Amino acid sequence: MTINIDQQAQQIIIDNDRGGYTVPTAGLYPYQWNWDSAFVALGFMQFDQVRAWQELETLVSAQWDNGMIPHIIFRQEKEGYFPGPKVWQADKGPISSTGISQPPVLASVVWRLVDQIDSSQSIEKAQQIFTQLNAFHQWWHNARDIEGSGLVKITHPWESGRDNLPDWDEAYADIDVGNVGEYQRNDTQHVDSDMRPTKAHYDCYLALVQHGVSCDWEDIKIAQTNPFWVADVGVNAIFIRAEKDLLKLALKLNLQPQASAIKARIERLEKGFEQLWNPEKEAYCTLNLRTNHHSEHVNSATFMCFYADVGSKEQRKLQLKRLNSWQQKVNFMVPSFNPYDELYDELRYWRGPVWGMINYLIATGLSDAGESKWAEAIRKDTYTLIKDHGFAEYFSPATGQGCGGDTFSWTAAMWLCWAKDAI
Ligand code: GLC
């Protein structure tokens, strides 16, 4: 019996289900990850709506009192994952977790569930989750924008969800790795080390975890002293979109006072986002707030200005031009990092490869902005990559080769909720 690709996608998600929550892939990532779970809910939505909501409910059940929803939730102690709960020492939430968050796509996923399935059940679920979503967003403002500049900052490369982007390299110079000591990585036992972050970068990741521990994961202390305090274009664009989707939800649920507060927050964020514009590069670029320095590199998050619905006509036109030029350099869009840059590396994780869920975000924005030709082209590339190379974690923009972990939950979810309908 031949199993069709939709069934395969569904089966991957079912196999990665650990009972109410889904792991990104067995072995390499044995816990619940924040934005992975949000994307996976979009996959479940296509065949099991009750389970889709449950994925989100288990995610928010790990929320800390300050509103933070952690990046990894260590529901069960697993041998062989590093750095695990003992390294993080972040026991501030109801469930053991890391002390940082991840890109806040959650509210946008909830809005998509409510918008597409207009049932009394989804309204009821949205009502139950709204306060937690709002607290999560307020946490980003309180903890990650103590200056009130309208830009939220990340405190660890892992908080960006794009772990080893070359944009972070500059900030590593200020990180003291002297106390990191000896450690045993496990990721390189699952995946070829050429596809994973280098040891030097891993040292920095661990030094930043140690710094968080030394601050007892107190938001204010971290904001004031963390050596890594960087505004990422991806997180900011995703957050603006999430605030806009939360506003739609508040209006749908008739929550007027909350809606007014969210509107004010959006205004501040939209203004703040313009600080990311790098006129020399004609792109939205990472801004290091410790040095006040724009990155000279361009990564694919610059195309998320459409997703956030920000930027002038001219600024957006320049990004469309850039899409054209990148397309000439690669066979599959959208590489995570500028393929003309000398730091571009087609196989190494976030330094080049194509990621299905990033393509979904970029294409959603382009489609909303009326750029349907581009939105479809990106969807078609994602379709071809998955059909010909399987449900890999990410793909080479040159050959399409599937890289990293396989039977990956979010790649399967993106197939089901978006890529499979490519025309
Ligand atoms: C890697 C990715 C991150 C993802 C996690 C689990 O750390 O960079 O974005 O959430 O794996 O899939």
Side-chain angles (χ1 to χ4, degrees):
M1 194 183 82
T2 52
I3 301 181
N4 77 27
I5 188 157
D6 296 3
Q7 283 168 324
Q8 275 177 40
Q10 215 167 297
Q11 198 56 47
I12 286 172
I13 294 182
I14 291 169
D15 290 346
N16 287 338
D17 185 349
R18 296 291 177 271
Y21 74 96
T22 310
V23 296
T25 186
L28 181 62
Y29 300 122
Y31 298 106
Q32 181 173 27
W33 259 256
N34 183 324
W35 71 331
D36 295 65
S37 259
F39 287 120
V40 165
L42 293 178
F44 270 124
M45 178 181 81
Q46 308 301 317
F47 63 96
D48 186 345
Q49 286 161 25
V50 173
R51 188 58 189 76
W53 282 105
Q54 196 185 18
E55 187 75 28
L56 303 176
E57 285 159 3
T58 55
L59 176 59
V60 298
S61 72
Q63 187 165 39
W64 289 16
D65 283 349
N66 64 0
M68 197 270 277
I69 301 181
H71 126 264
I72 308 176
I73 301 156
F74 301 121
R75 281 180 195 279
Q76 302 159 0
E77 185 80 31
K78 291 269 176 206
E79 286 296 314
Y81 181 80
F82 182 83
K86 292 198 184 84
V87 180
W88 283 90
Q89 297 176 49
D91 306 316
K92 297 206 146 182
I95 308 171
S96 173
S97 72
T98 60
I100 58 171
S101 193
Q102 256 194 331
V105 289
L106 181 57
S108 297
V109 166
V110 169
W111 173 247
R112 184 166 165 190
L113 292 187
V114 170
D115 195 36
Q116 291 200 345
I117 310 161
D118 201 356
S119 65
S120 55
Q121 189 219 14
S122 60
I123 294 289
E124 199 186 307
K125 291 286 183 192
Q127 269 160 346
Q128 285 163 6
I129 212 172
F130 181 87
T131 307
Q132 285 160 297
L133 296 180
N134 202 24
F136 180 40
H137 285 197
Q138 195 58 62
W139 171 80
W140 276 99
H141 290 278
N142 296 346
R144 297 297 193 245
D145 186 20
I146 53 164
E147 310 90 338
S149 69
L151 276 178
V152 291
K153 271 70 72 180
I154 51 168
T155 57
H156 194 294
W158 291 338
E159 205 157 49
S160 73
R162 299 185 298 153
D163 307 6
N164 67 334
L165 207 62
D167 297 48
W168 320 139
D169 295 4
E170 182 210 273
Y172 293 149
D174 298 324
I175 300 176
D176 177 5
V177 297
N179 290 324
V180 165
E182 292 289 309
Y183 58 93
Q184 171 79 43
R185 279 171 74 170
N186 286 307
D187 57 327
T188 44
Q189 291 170 12
H190 294 283
V191 173
D192 189 338
S193 58
D194 287 349
M195 297 181 186
R196 298 288 305 176
T198 59
K199 154 102 171 85
H201 290 172
Y202 232 81
D203 286 352
C204 294
Y205 303 156
L206 293 175
L208 288 171
V209 173
Q210 288 176 343
H211 185 82
V213 173
S214 76
C215 293
D216 198 21
W217 299 106
E218 289 290 336
D219 290 334
I220 296 292
K221 278 192 207 154
I222 289 177
Q224 287 168 346
T225 63
N226 205 60
F228 191 90
W229 186 247
V230 171
D232 168 34
V233 180
V235 165
N236 278 279
I238 286 168
F239 189 41
I240 295 178
R241 172 68 180 236
E243 285 280 53
K244 289 179 178 176
D245 289 335
L246 190 68
L247 175 61
K248 289 184 196 150
L249 193 61
L251 293 171
K252 175 122 190 159
L253 301 176
N254 274 320
L255 301 170
Q256 298 306 335
Q258 290 90 332
S260 310
I262 299 167
K263 266 187 210 153
R265 301 197 307 235
I266 292 172
E267 231 171 82
R268 192 168 70 234
L269 290 173
E270 282 190 332
K271 275 198 204 113
F273 194 81
E274 280 313 308
Q275 299 167 66
L276 298 175
W277 183 251
N278 181 343
E280 272 167 41
K281 293 286 156 189
E282 298 186 321
Y284 291 100
C285 293
T286 299
L287 181 61
N288 181 342
L289 273 304
R290 291 289 181 242
T291 58
N292 243 332
H293 188 248
H294 267 132
S295 169
E296 277 138 33
H297 306 290
V298 181
N299 70 65
S300 65
T302 193
F303 305 121
M304 288 189 197
C305 58
F306 300 98
Y307 182 69
D309 193 15
V310 291
S312 68
K313 224 170 149 188
E314 185 55 26
Q315 284 166 317
R316 290 170 178 231
K317 227 167 94 192
L318 288 163
Q319 304 326 302
L320 293 176
K321 207 170 125 201
R322 173 169 281 109
L323 275 173
N324 262 313
S325 121
W326 285 25
Q327 196 184 37
Q328 274 150 40
K329 187 80 178 166
V330 299
N331 293 317
F332 300 97
M333 290 290 270
V334 180
S336 43
F337 188 66
N338 177 7
Y340 296 91
D341 193 304
E342 59 179 24
L343 294 180
Y344 173 75
D345 184 341
E346 92 183 50
L347 295 183
R348 207 184 280 276
Y349 215 35
W350 291 99
R351 302 172 86 88
V354 178
W355 294 71
M357 17 59 84
I358 297 289
N359 275 7
Y360 161 75
L361 299 177
I362 293 174
T364 299
L366 287 161
S367 165
D368 291 351
E371 299 294 341
S372 50
K373 225 176 96 228
W374 266 117
E376 270 315 312
I378 293 169
R379 174 148 73 166
K380 193 59 194 272
D381 278 1
T382 317
Y383 173 95
T384 309
L385 285 169
I386 297 175
K387 191 170 72 50
D388 295 349
H389 301 276
F391 293 95
E393 186 177 6
Y394 48 92
F395 304 88
S396 156
T399 64
Q401 177 193 340
C403 307
D406 58 11
T407 56
F408 223 84
S409 297
W410 66 18
T411 311
M414 291 302 103
W415 175 267
L416 291 172
C417 79
W418 172 66
K420 77 176 171 52
D421 298 320
I423 35 178

